[in-house]
Amino acid sequence: MAGQAIETEPQPHGLEALYEGKMPYPFQRVRDLLEGTPPGIEPEINLTLGEPREPMPDFVVEKLAETQALYAKYPPIRGTDELRNTISDWLGRRYGLTGPKRVDPETEILPTNGSREALFFASLPAVGRKAGRVARPAVLMANPYYAAYIGSAFATNAEPVYLNGTPDTSFLPDLDELAAQPELLDRAALLYICSPANPQGVLATPAYTRRALDLARKHDFMLFFDECYSEIYDQDKPVGGLEVAVETPERFKNLLVFNSLSKRSNLPGLRSGFCAGDPDFLNALAGVRNLIGPQVPLPTQAASVAIWSDEAHVEVTRAAYRKKFDICDAVLQGRYGYQRPAGGFFLWLNMAHFGGGIDATVTLWKRCGVRVLPGAFLSMTGTNGVNPGDDYIRMALVDTPEVIETALKRMVEVF
């Protein structure tokens, strides 16, 4: 019945889960769910993968070609001086981090191969710094989660703790509830929070961000603030973790933020991003990456300098997504709990009245050839025994406005 938790297999844990291939990867799960079932309408429409399809900056290929000879060189693990300075300049323009607030490009910025690589690799020193002090470190994560979060918990044999984001908690982890569990917080190695949230699109407020940072410092764990959707917003610019932390006496202590060019600049294949924050922790992370991590190719770094320096293409992308959400407003108003997201490019729609997210996914495919992701495939059963994604589906608005409008109208006809 709608609203009830869906029975699932026992949750996998640790390195054994990695070895046995039990990672709950959502896209494979939806392929398995719909395998053998033909789409009800042709052409089929796939709204599962959040892969941006807006135009990438037109100068990217040229920049890569200009520096192609640099593929013959090993890149520095900490990135080039030019790239770190460019990222620092961008953070200054975007978040007001200038003058004494400027993010130090030498010690407080580390270029990475996109944000996913960094979100995973950063868990190794984060769990390591707690491992000698507690019996079993815990990795706390917003639930629904991003795959790298749960992967980091498995790879470090830490305990994954899923903090549900529901309408009652404004779709972010309930920090008051978390603060009431000091024993858990003392075991915590890190806390993953995403803002704008994936998939709900809500923004963490400055007060919420400061509260999370205060808990991290009180209990000495790392706050990992995933900001990969920071430049895809409707009206208000999302608050950044660094701009909140810089106002505290401790500056960036216990904080790392993560961002990339994948969503901002429609370049998921470039694999270029960065993390920034706590200089002591970044130094440890750089050592880990120097040992086992991939370097960012020098032509990629050179192109990234040009991309971080340009905002015109980002403004065009934001306008394109606003047009798509205008269509959603017109078609979905008053339906499925729809609210225009403040950030990101996903819809998180409540299908409780139609059997829940998994049943709705099957129905949409069988009846109208629209492929979506069940919310239950993007989340786990939380600390309260409930999977917050059970009733929901996620739709990625990365296709053209015409295709999105067609998909939504098909859905309305069925439901």
Side-chain angles (χ1 to χ4, degrees):
M1 295 178 60
Q4 291 184 344
I6 297 172
E7 293 186 5
T8 59
E9 295 181 2
Q11 296 179 9
H13 293 289
L15 292 171
E16 181 181 2
L18 293 181
Y19 170 72
E20 295 181 357
K22 291 183 178 179
M23 289 291 288
Y25 196 59
F27 302 106
Q28 182 59 51
R29 293 181 71 185
V30 78
R31 285 193 289 269
D32 293 342
L33 176 69
L34 302 179
E35 185 178 6
T37 303
I41 297 177
E42 297 281 2
E44 64 183 72
I45 298 175
N46 190 340
L47 301 180
T48 59
L49 187 61
E51 180 180 69
R53 301 179 195 172
E54 299 303 315
M56 68 181 186
D58 55 13
F59 53 79
V60 172
V61 174
E62 178 184 344
K63 291 295 180 181
L64 291 171
E66 287 177 359
T67 55
Q68 61 182 321
L70 295 177
Y71 283 119
K73 289 182 172 291
Y74 281 120
I77 200 71
R78 292 178 181 266
T80 63
D81 293 345
E82 184 182 22
L83 177 56
R84 293 196 311 275
N85 275 285
T86 299
I87 292 170
S88 180
D89 291 343
W90 178 79
L91 290 168
R93 294 191 302 273
R94 174 62 173 82
Y95 297 108
L97 299 171
T98 58
K101 297 180 181 180
R102 177 177 169 83
V103 183
D104 186 348
E106 292 296 323
T107 63
E108 296 176 334
I109 292 174
L110 183 63
T112 61
N113 289 268
S115 60
R116 181 166 71 167
E117 178 255 307
L119 286 161
F120 173 79
F121 271 99
S123 70
L124 302 181
V127 173
R129 70 193 287 275
K130 261 303 178 67
R133 291 181 274 163
V134 298
R136 188 186 184 193
V139 170
L140 317 181
M141 67 192 78
N143 191 36
Y145 55 80
Y146 180 49
Y149 308 166
I150 191 171
S152 73
F154 289 170
T156 58
N157 270 323
E159 177 188 354
V161 179
Y162 309 103
L163 307 176
N164 287 2
T166 68
D168 293 337
T169 67
S170 299
F171 290 112
L172 290 169
D174 187 335
L175 297 182
D176 291 335
E177 181 181 344
L178 187 60
Q181 304 176 71
E183 293 183 0
L184 172 62
L185 289 172
D186 286 341
R187 289 196 299 112
L190 63 137
L191 165 61
Y192 287 109
I193 291 177
C194 185
S195 176
N198 172 11
Q200 308 97 324
V202 299
L203 311 183
T205 65
Y208 182 94
T209 305
R210 176 62 188 270
R211 182 79 191 284
L213 185 58
D214 288 344
L215 289 175
R217 289 170 175 169
K218 180 179 180 180
H219 297 275
D220 195 25
F221 59 82
M222 294 300 301
L223 173 60
F224 286 176
F225 217 66
D226 184 350
E227 300 180 355
C228 72
Y229 294 94
S230 69
E231 305 313 290
I232 309 299
Y233 56 84
D234 188 28
Q235 299 297 327
D236 298 327
K237 292 182 179 181
V239 173
L242 296 176
E243 70 176 312
V244 172
V246 79
E247 302 296 338
T248 68
E250 300 90 342
R251 194 169 162 90
F252 303 143
K253 180 177 171 57
N254 292 87
L255 172 70
L256 230 57
V257 304
F258 302 80
N259 213 322
S260 81
L261 296 173
S262 296
K263 309 302 190 293
R264 172 191 181 270
S265 301
N266 308 304
L267 286 165
L270 190 68
R271 308 316 305 144
S272 179
F274 70 88
C275 51
D278 187 323
D280 293 333
F281 186 83
L282 275 179
N283 188 53
L285 175 57
V288 171
R289 294 187 72 253
N290 199 36
L291 187 67
I292 56 175
Q295 303 112 314
V296 182
L298 285 169
T300 298
Q301 296 192 48
S304 299
V305 167
I307 301 163
W308 285 113
S309 300
D310 180 73
E311 291 297 326
H313 72 280
V314 187
E315 294 172 2
V316 171
T317 295
R318 276 195 292 269
Y321 284 119
R322 288 178 182 133
K323 182 178 180 180
K324 296 175 187 181
F325 281 114
D326 288 343
I327 293 170
C328 296
D329 289 348
V331 178
L332 298 180
Q333 200 63 257
R335 294 183 169 96
Y336 326 127
Y338 167 76
Q339 292 184 345
R340 186 177 178 121
F345 50 57
F346 297 110
L347 296 183
W348 189 238
L349 302 180
N350 193 324
M351 297 283 116
H353 293 298
F354 310 101
I358 291 179
D359 284 354
T361 296
V362 174
T363 299
L364 284 170
W365 181 245
K366 290 174 65 175
R367 298 277 300 277
C368 59
V370 175
R371 186 182 293 252
V372 300
L373 271 178
F377 291 1
L378 297 164
S379 51
M380 285 283 197
T381 300
T383 54
N384 61 354
V386 174
N387 185 322
D390 280 347
D391 289 336
Y392 291 85
I393 59 171
R394 191 191 82 171
M395 306 175 77
L397 303 185
V398 294
D399 218 312
T400 65
E402 294 75 19
V403 169
I404 289 168
E405 184 173 21
T406 297
L408 296 180
K409 287 183 175 179
R410 287 186 193 178
M411 179 171 68
V412 170
E413 289 175 2
V414 169
F415 295 130

